[in-house]
Amino acid sequence: MVIKTDELPAAAPADNAREPGSQAGGKGRPGAAEPPSVMLLNGDCSESLEKEEGGAAEPPRENGLDEAEPGDEATGQEVIVIQDTGFSVKILAPGIEPFSLQVSPQEMVQEIHQVLMDREDTCHRTCFSLHLDGNMLDHFSELRSVEGLQEGSVLRVVEEPYTVREARIHVRHVRDLLKSLDPSDAFNGVDCNSLSFLSVFTDGDLGDSGKRKKGLEMDPIDCTPPEYILPGSRERPLCPLQPQNHDWKPLQCLKVLTMSGWNPPPGNRKMHGDLMYLFVITAEDRQVSITASTRGFYLNQSTAYHFNPKPASPRFLSHSLVELLNLISPTFKKNFAVLQKKRVQRHPFERIATPFQVYSWTAPQAEHAMDCVRAEDAYTSRLGYEEHIPGQTRDWNEELQTTRELPRKNLPERLLRERAIFKVHSDFTAAATRGAMAVIDGNVMAINPSEETKMQMFIWNNIFFSLGFDVRDHYKDFGGDVAAYVAPTNDLNGVRTYNAVDVEGLYTLGTVVVDYRGYRVTAQSIIPGILERDQEQSVIYGSIDFGKTVVSHPRYLELLERTSRPLKILRHRVLNDREEEVELCSSVECKGIIGNDGRHYILDLLRTFPPDLNFLPVPGEELPEECTRAGFPRAHRHKLCCLRQELVDAFVEHRYLLFMKLAALQLMQQKASKMETLTSLENSSPLSSEPKTEVSPGPEVGSEEERSSASGLAKVKELAETIASDDGADPRSREVIRNACKAVGSVSSTAFDIRFNADIFSPGVRFPESCQAEVRDQKQLLKDAAAFLLSCQIPGLVKDCIDHAVLPMDGATLAEVMRQRGINMRYLGKVLDLVLRSPARDQLDHIYKIGIGELITRSAKHIFKTYLQGVELSGLSAAISHFLNCFLSSYPNPVAHLPADELVSKKRNKRRKNRPPGAADNTAWAVMTPQELWKNICQEAQNYFDFSLECETVDQAVETYGLQKITLLREISLKIGVQILLKEYSFDSRHKPAFTEEDVLNIFPVVKHVSPKASDAFHFFQSGQAKVQQGFLKEGCELINEALNLFNNVYGAMHVEICACLRLLARLHYIMGDYAEALSNQQKAVLMSERVMGIEHPNTIQEYMHLALYCFASSQLSTALSLLYRARYLMLLVFGEDHPEMALLDNNIGLVLHGVMEYDLSLRFLENALAVSTKYHGPKSLKVALSHHLVARVYESKAEFRSALQHEKEGYTIYKTQLGEDHEKTKESSEYLKCLTQQAVALQRTMNEIYRNGSSANIPPLKFTAPSMASVLEQLNVINGILFIPLSQKDLENLKAEVARRHQLQEASRNRDKAEEPMATEPEPAGPLEEDGSQPQVAKDPSPSLQG
């Protein structure tokens, strides 16, 4: 296909690839650049997967991007031709019919192996090679490099002799096949398995859109949901969260398959080719011993106590273990075949590994079964899968850095590079997580074992681990242990940022931060040679003592200079202890070390971004009035508070608009008259403080930001051009620029350029005399940024919540929305204060509830962390269940069970040597009481978030703030990584505690890491969105398909961003009338969301709703209903009933029920939706009018005309006042009123007739209309914000012509339009599409914000 690529910097950093202004008010696409930061590792079976789904992932597209995109800011366009025509080959495998397989030239031979190991009829083979015309193909060569391989070639599968390694892989593979339907790996959070429940609700596949279920409209379906799903129900059960899947009761093929105790074979047997021995108990209870030899598997005569390696009868040698077992056990033969059939029927997305491990916070009680592979893995130190990699342990640092050095000149190179980076990162994250757990569990020897436990450091699998404690008073001036605890996450953010800028020649360490059992562990890759030398000698740039001794290095300055513009970091000078000036281009703590490999590494990036002055009181410094009014500065627990990168970007954006407005103002005044120019310049000089005199940047700027930035930018561009062209000619305009620069705090006086000096206000850093003016300006800039956060970003967030531009549903999505606007979580109390004071307080009820819940669970998490550090391993489940009882149970005095009760040990008094780090008294945790815990929570909320909670017990909290205990349980479990038993907990019982120690099943790590981005794919995705919003659906669709291909290429098959891509594709296909395609894409999106984000993540809930709509359109009514019920259940669990999104969901359910003539049930949901809409959108909103109309229609179907009239009148009144008499909505409503009145009159007439004439009355038959499916679907589309375009070819052409004409007319103000078109006023979406820009982010899928 021919692909145009925008030669932005080779891999444009995700954070800088945003459009200017996008993050200002958060309505651009900031989230697109960074999907939620929870996902984490990747199976490399992306290709094998694509094949399973029929052909390469997408048919090749010739017209990927034929004309240059108007929206593509491509600087140098380059055209690359990628040969991507797939072809098919024939496979000949022993014992089965030949079959053909679709392959593509970029694939490796190894990937054909993967496919064969996955196919139902060849899955039992692992040790084979492929031959073409008698020549063996190399595993790792690409298909296009194989001579003579073409369409129709025949590949022969040839069995190879086993080695010990191959025999092990074979046994492991057989075990995986036997366990392929068993969900225990997903519950235990191993090997990147995770849960998915979609198939339980769709009864298998949706692909045969309605063929199998054609007769559904007529068939009676049971529509009554379980009691707990109905509106108004108070019970919130937990068990339905993980319904029992029928396939999970696995068919037993064997009772036991393990390694035999006779391993390894003695020397003389080795020389006969014995590799290892297996022990098997078949389902018929026959015990057999099996020899794995170089030629295959056969039975031997050994028993459990007697070794006899001679073959036993039947003397059958089989190259595959499965064939041998088929021969000796009929049950195995039957069940294994059924199992494989079921395995292959499952959707591939249910079984592919996710890129990063997702943990489930609940799990059912599981039987613990024997498992040879798991047992072997536990005992052999299986570091980083050494069976699969030559040279044993992996050199992580080398892998991470080499992938960064791959070439990136054109698209194929960049794809290869990004794919390699992503793969190594996900592997590294998995290895680091395993290592961190091993360190805390005490299974790794420290490298400095003689020091006290807090100070120990560890190396495992070439990864360096350190604990988050303040070792050697390093952070003494910054807050001690508290600072040492936050430093790793700050450092990780720095690593993420520098990785995103991606400067050639500058290297960062692989970094993963793991919180586990109350400890924070930092895992880093190791710089070659650093362990052999002293830190003082190695550091050639930066400072190891926070600024006393500082050194610099020209090469580092040159490399860091390239990052200073995108990261807004100012190059500055500081004084060292010898009073010399040293030049830096980062904060002083950032250290530069040249490794033995000659690479330039930077580490300790914990102060990449400027300090947050609101939380850093500096004696003698006065903060702006906005800050002091809000009670700042407040002393925080540590002095490492930084502003977020999103905030820095938004602030600079804001200043840029201001700069342009000032320049414009002055230029206009100049043109008007010279006199005025002089006075205006005098007036504007005091602007250097927060420029209040001009366009006062108060809250309204923050809220209008997105509009002003978009429309402003168009004018700004013209201005910038005129200024540039004037530049040489007119000294006066230079003067204008200089003044504007001074006013907004630009570091250059000839052009707009704002950068921050991250060392300002650092304790211990001194600046030379010559820089005092610069330092003064920098201090002012930091104060302005702190004020900007309070006066623009927080009010902007609250306004977006009132407008329902963002719809957080739980703590994580709220945090996500705050972080996109650059608001740190420590401002949560301030956000809640503003919500409380807002005039629209009622419409922010959901935000307030989520915020309070988040505040309580975060405070509880802080307490839990120190609580858990004092617990030894044997008391872990008792301690956690005790904490949960104190936190959530109404039982007044829960008692902790101390672990010593079960067993009596003779030597009780000996002090144990290996104690957990920092453990003092191991039973201190047992004395905690609920009263004390809640007192601490309130105190923590006050100290940390500056918010006073009005509650002393959990029941008061629930009562006062309208919270749900089950929601609090979910939030705290996710935050601390606890897994609890799936059962109904009686939180409110006052007679027994809610949790026992048997209810705590597991404790998982909470992992933070860098997630590398696919930049090219992301640009395609964005231009696709832009096309769609301009109304070019077909082109948009092609671009997004292209993006999907590229995403698959980089991330493999499973990733959050692929999920967003699929959702948008499904929506486009739906709008273009291709329901089957919409269903199939949306099904993938749901499965992927469940697997990658979690089965009850708010994003998953929305995906379920979309899928239900497409099911209904394909006349799969019962499926649509069960999907909607599932979504409603999940929403009740995650938040509760009182959420604006619930109105949309209930309208959907009500409409579907109306369609299947369940009128009473339908009314319950629709009336609930009406109540919720009225609360959150105000009684005069168009959504409420629509809600009234929907209720009226159901009443009409029930022939209750009086109620119908009443509701329709309400709706009519709203339309009339909001839209005026002549609007079509108002006219439609008045027509409907007339029709209702006529029906009511007809009914009354009939009734009177009956009264008058009794039973002999002559009654005309009454027409009660059951709603047609089409009318229900039409309403469903309206409430879900989807407008259809009649897509005849001619209409399409006209539409395109029309759009193109508008496009030319508006070329001048194009940017403005791009922002405003999809944000048309509520009633009518502009352009042919809903306003779902379908950003790949969680909380903000604004599809519902356009109902009407």
Side-chain angles (χ1 to χ4, degrees), residues 972-998:
I972 191 83
S973 303
L974 290 172
K975 284 184 181 53
I976 59 183
V978 164
Q979 185 182 58
I980 58 164
L981 179 63
L982 185 73
K983 70 169 204 190
E984 302 311 338
Y985 292 96
S986 50
F987 296 110
D988 299 333
S989 158
R990 304 193 60 79
H991 307 298
K992 63 181 212 309
F995 298 91
T996 67
E997 48 197 286
E998 300 307 310

Side-chain angles (χ1 to χ4, degrees), residues 538-550:
S538 340
V539 173
I540 57 163
Y541 170 89
S543 160
I544 55 169
D545 48 17
F546 288 101
K548 294 182 193 58
T549 52
V550 191

